[in-house]
Amino acid sequence: NTVLTSAVVYPGQWLGMLGGGQLGRMFCHAAQSMGYKVVVLDPAQDSPAGTVAEKQVFAAYDDVKGLDELAALTRVVTTEFENVPAASLKQLSENCRVSPGAAAVAVVQDRIAEKAFIASQGIPVAPYAEVRSAADLEKAGQHLFPGILKAARLGYDGKGQARVANVQEALAAFESFGNVPCVLEAMLPLKEEISVVMARGFDGEVAVFPIGQNTHVNGILATTVVNPGLIAESIQHQAKQAAIKIAEGLNYFGVLCIEFFILDDNSLVANEVAPRPHNSGHYTMNACASSQFEQQVRVMAGMPLGSTQLRAPAIMLNILGDSWFHPETGAFAEPVWEKVLALPGVSLHLYGKSEARKGRKMGHVNVVHENFDTALAHARQISKILN
Ligand code: ADP
Ligand code: MG
């Protein structure tokens, strides 16, 4: 059983997915519409991806037997889960073609390695210090304050982060994180947050999606707006070139997202890399010739990449569990979807999660319209209906 290198995997065959969340679910839909069968590895019953895949291996991400069971069913494996143990990808790579590979994932899972790698490519990152001990904080320069202390591993949606005004607050935050390795970053004056979602194939071919502008609420992505005229051409070009450089430098195969900050002086800073399709790329499902999930399928199957062409301006609105609760009384009620779906150019994507909880990502809405102002007006109406 030799590992495939550049061979094409044809529709009708199996694709393997590590992780059962919503990203895995949307991957399944893309794969199945192209005629592939998907086997998902995830420990949970009723997971968003497990319930739509043809098969599920019920096992933890680091379960050696479960991973072997997956590898026995499929020759190509990808992941939707940022914190998949690199060791699991390594084990799978003995029998399967794995995208992305363990080495690339290991770098971007660790903010210390990630920042050092990006900087080594000549791409600006926020001024930062590696923090492994209280002493590292005590000797951190004043230029890093006010700053943000971020745990090096396992952070997401603003979790594992603390805004700190001075060394004392940084020391307290470091202790509250359990003294785990961290980075301390200077707080930068952000004008915009943007992301570049792209795919890189096993032959080195790259396809970069149009750049999205992101807004966050309470650390969670709330909206992505895609209207190419909104960001200066030169900044878009710079961000796309930096993203390609990062993907190539990592020897990355698959779909990835690079978050950038545009600062008040219009300079560009790379923030972080997600080794998988990304929430800020969901607009591609309705606005682009191929979606980010279709690209993920194409890469792992060894197929040519799809077109990333934008068909019309788009706005993606995340739907959190909060939309099921009345903002004042807290009463539970199903959102009035018929009002949302009555608007032209609106597509609803729900992830099949059984229980709505506050702060939980339940789905998203894409608004696509040739007239950006119309799209914006519809998006505002939808957020009123959902809040
Ligand atoms: P994650 O997305 O994993 O939670 P990020 O590093 O992307 O972590 O940080 C979350 C958000 O915090 C960013 O989207 C941005 O709004 C803000 N942020 C992060 N780093 C900085 C910084 N150095 N300066 C200003 N704002 C920041
Ligand atoms: Mg982020």
Side-chain angles (χ1 to χ4, degrees):
N1 188 11
T2 54
V3 178
L4 301 176
T5 50
S6 61
V8 168
V9 175
Y10 285 106
Q13 295 187 257
W14 288 91
L15 307 179
M17 166 55 75
L18 272 176
Q22 61 259 23
L23 300 174
R25 177 185 178 94
M26 292 181 273
F27 167 86
C28 286
H29 290 150
Q32 290 165 339
S33 80
M34 291 169 76
Y36 291 98
K37 294 182 284 194
V38 183
V39 51
V40 162
L41 182 142
D42 192 280
Q45 299 284 340
D46 298 322
S47 68
T51 50
V52 301
E54 276 80 2
K55 247 194 195 99
Q56 182 175 355
V57 173
F58 292 92
Y61 304 116
D62 58 355
D63 180 322
V64 172
K65 266 184 62 192
L67 292 165
D68 277 342
E69 208 182 311
L70 181 73
L73 267 164
T74 178
R75 308 200 58 200
V76 290
V77 176
T78 188
T79 172
E80 57 115 37
F81 177 54
E82 178 135 14
N83 292 308
V84 59
S88 300
L89 295 177
K90 212 154 168 230
Q91 182 192 328
L92 285 168
S93 70
E94 284 161 22
N95 295 300
C96 300
R97 183 169 70 193
V98 178
S99 55
V105 170
V107 171
V108 305
Q109 271 176 352
D110 181 327
R111 289 190 198 271
I112 295 175
E114 179 182 50
K115 284 218 155 18
F117 168 76
I118 296 171
S120 78
Q121 301 296 296
I123 296 161
V125 296
Y128 76 101
E130 299 179 8
V131 178
R132 291 192 175 78
S133 66
D136 288 337
L137 280 173
E138 274 151 8
K139 65 172 196 263
Q142 270 311 309
H143 68 294
L144 297 179
F145 295 102
I148 306 185
L149 188 73
K150 302 179 180 177
R153 304 184 72 88
L154 303 175
Y156 68 100
D157 289 346
K159 295 184 179 72
Q161 295 190 10
R163 300 193 169 210
V164 291
N166 50 43
V167 180
Q168 289 70 38
E169 287 185 21
L171 286 166
F174 182 60
E175 201 181 311
S176 77
F177 291 167
N179 302 315
V180 295
C182 290
V183 294
L184 173 66
E185 279 181 42
M187 184 76 85
L188 298 174
L190 310 190
K191 187 158 115 184
E192 300 283 359
E193 298 196 45
I194 60 171
S195 42
V196 178
V197 177
M198 61 173 288
R200 185 164 180 269
F202 287 103
D203 58 358
E205 181 193 8
V206 294
V208 184
F209 284 105
I211 288 178
Q213 275 177 282
N214 302 323
T215 63
H216 300 84
V217 174
N218 299 327
I220 304 176
L221 185 70
T223 64
T224 299
V225 175
V226 187
N227 185 24
L230 291 180
I231 306 164
E233 196 63 50
S234 63
I235 296 179
Q236 294 195 48
H237 179 75
Q238 217 183 317
K240 287 181 178 176
Q241 291 310 116
I244 292 170
K245 193 154 192 201
I246 288 168
E248 288 177 345
L250 284 170
N251 204 18
Y252 192 96
F253 304 114
V255 173
L256 72 164
C257 170
I258 299 102
E259 296 177 4
F260 292 93
F261 300 144
I262 302 174
L263 306 187
D264 282 347
D265 64 0
N266 283 327
S267 60
L268 193 70
V269 164
N271 177 40
E272 61 172 351
V273 180
R276 49 171 174 75
H278 193 261
N279 198 162
S280 63
H282 289 354
Y283 80 89
T284 62
M285 297 172 78
N286 300 104
C288 292
S290 314
S291 74
Q292 60 173 347
F293 301 103
E294 180 178 333
Q295 299 288 45
Q296 190 177 19
V297 173
R298 285 173 178 250
V299 171
M300 76 188 297
M303 292 288 186
L305 301 182
S307 162
T308 57
Q309 197 195 337
L310 188 71
R311 297 197 152 142
I315 299 167
M316 188 281 312
L317 302 173
N318 258 350
I319 303 168
L320 300 183
D322 305 56
S323 293
W324 276 254
F325 298 93
H326 191 279
E328 276 115 44
T329 66
F332 182 91
E334 191 68 22
V336 264
W337 298 118
E338 60 272 35
K339 285 196 184 162
V340 174
L341 291 170
L343 296 162
V346 166
S347 302
L348 176 64
H349 301 269
L350 289 174
Y351 307 148
K353 296 184 182 178
S354 49
E355 194 198 343
R357 275 188 262 117
K358 292 195 177 172
R360 189 179 203 199
K361 288 180 182 172
M362 300 298 288
H364 66 274
V365 172
N366 285 334
V367 186
V368 182
H369 201 283
E370 60 198 16
N371 182 320
F372 179 65
D373 292 331
T374 306
L376 207 56
H378 290 166
R380 291 209 173 101
Q381 254 176 289
I382 293 167
S383 73
K384 257 192 222 132
I385 296 165
L386 293 180
N387 289 318

